[in-house]
Amino acid sequence: MTNHYNIQIIQTQTDFKLTYRDNKFRKLEHLRGTLDNAMLHQLGRIIPRTETNIESFAMAYKDKVTYTKIQQEKSLYTLFLDEWTSFFETFTGLPPKFTGMDGKSLKMIITYLKKIAGSENEALQLWKIILNKWHTVKQFHQDNTDLKYINSKLNIILHEIKQQGNTYSKGTNGSVEL
């Protein structure tokens, strides 16, 4: 897993970006501020070799250097995948096997739902509705929770959910109903 941290040397207002992969230091990037030869020679002192040492370095250099973890926002693809993974594990009681073909199917589902919903947020809400109403579709579909299957039968699944008395509408307040 890759994590990024901002380091700021308070006195000189110099910012760096640290990258750690699997708890090991990988990269240092100079973002802004002055960097002279004296600082360059001392820079290694404020960089922990492992990510687990960041807290101790933050305490050691308190009021001189700040260490801030960069929180990365999840992509739409990751949000869709997280929803499906949670659904799959809850519905089947097993962790899903995920292949490249499943990834391609998920991308196709996202593209289609964005097209009919109008925006990424509404597409995600529609995906959540589909997964939450999965128990209302025919038993044959319920038994096929694989992304390849869902993608191939998405029109039928949407139609069945809609026939349960639900209608799809883009709400004025950003809500999506099916």
Side-chain angles (χ1 to χ4, degrees):
M1 178 175 198
T2 302
N3 291 313
H4 304 281
Y5 292 85
N6 278 340
I7 294 182
Q8 182 183 46
I9 301 172
I10 296 171
Q11 186 177 7
T12 61
Q13 296 294 309
T14 305
D15 294 335
F16 298 94
K17 180 179 175 184
L18 282 177
T19 301
Y20 289 89
R21 185 173 300 129
D22 298 326
N23 195 35
K24 296 177 187 167
F25 171 72
R26 290 289 175 221
K27 185 168 55 169
L28 174 71
E29 296 175 65
H30 176 238
L31 299 176
R32 66 186 75 66
T34 59
L35 182 61
D36 58 22
N37 283 339
M39 281 180 62
L40 195 54
H41 289 305
Q42 299 298 319
L43 193 57
R45 291 185 177 191
I46 64 169
I47 301 172
R49 290 181 63 122
T50 61
E51 186 176 359
T52 54
N53 292 332
I54 286 188
E55 265 188 61
S56 61
F57 272 66
M59 296 302 286
Y61 293 105
K62 188 177 181 181
D63 298 328
K64 294 179 182 177
V65 179
T66 60
Y67 297 82
T68 309
K69 187 172 184 177
I70 299 171
Q71 300 296 330
Q72 297 175 338
E73 290 187 30
K74 291 185 174 183
S75 67
L76 182 63
Y77 178 86
T78 303
L79 293 171
F80 266 72
L81 181 59
D82 289 349
E83 288 295 327
W84 176 77
T85 301
S86 175
F87 156 78
F88 188 90
E89 289 174 351
T90 302
F91 206 79
T92 66
L94 298 169
K97 178 183 177 201
F98 191 80
T99 65
M101 191 61 186
D102 291 309
K104 184 176 181 179
S105 297
L106 184 59
K107 286 178 183 178
M108 293 170 74
I109 291 169
I110 292 168
T111 300
Y112 181 70
L113 293 181
K114 279 185 354 188
K115 180 180 174 185
I116 63 172
S119 74
E120 290 182 353
N121 249 358
E122 290 177 348
L124 180 60
Q125 293 306 313
L126 183 54
W127 181 236
K128 289 178 182 179
I129 290 168
I130 292 167
L131 298 178
N132 287 333
K133 294 187 179 281
W134 194 257
H135 64 280
T136 67
V137 298
K138 292 180 183 170
Q139 188 64 42
F140 181 77
H141 298 307
Q142 288 183 33
D143 293 339
N144 292 290
T145 54
D146 191 56
L147 283 170
K148 294 180 290 283
Y149 179 81
I150 294 172
N151 181 49
S152 69
K153 302 295 182 189
L154 190 56
N155 288 331
I156 295 167
I157 293 166
L158 284 169
H159 184 70
E160 281 189 25
I161 292 172
K162 189 174 179 179
Q163 284 191 331
Q164 300 295 325
N166 302 299
T167 58
Y168 170 74
S169 63
K170 297 180 197 176
T172 56
N173 61 355
S175 63
V176 178
E177 299 174 11
L178 184 65

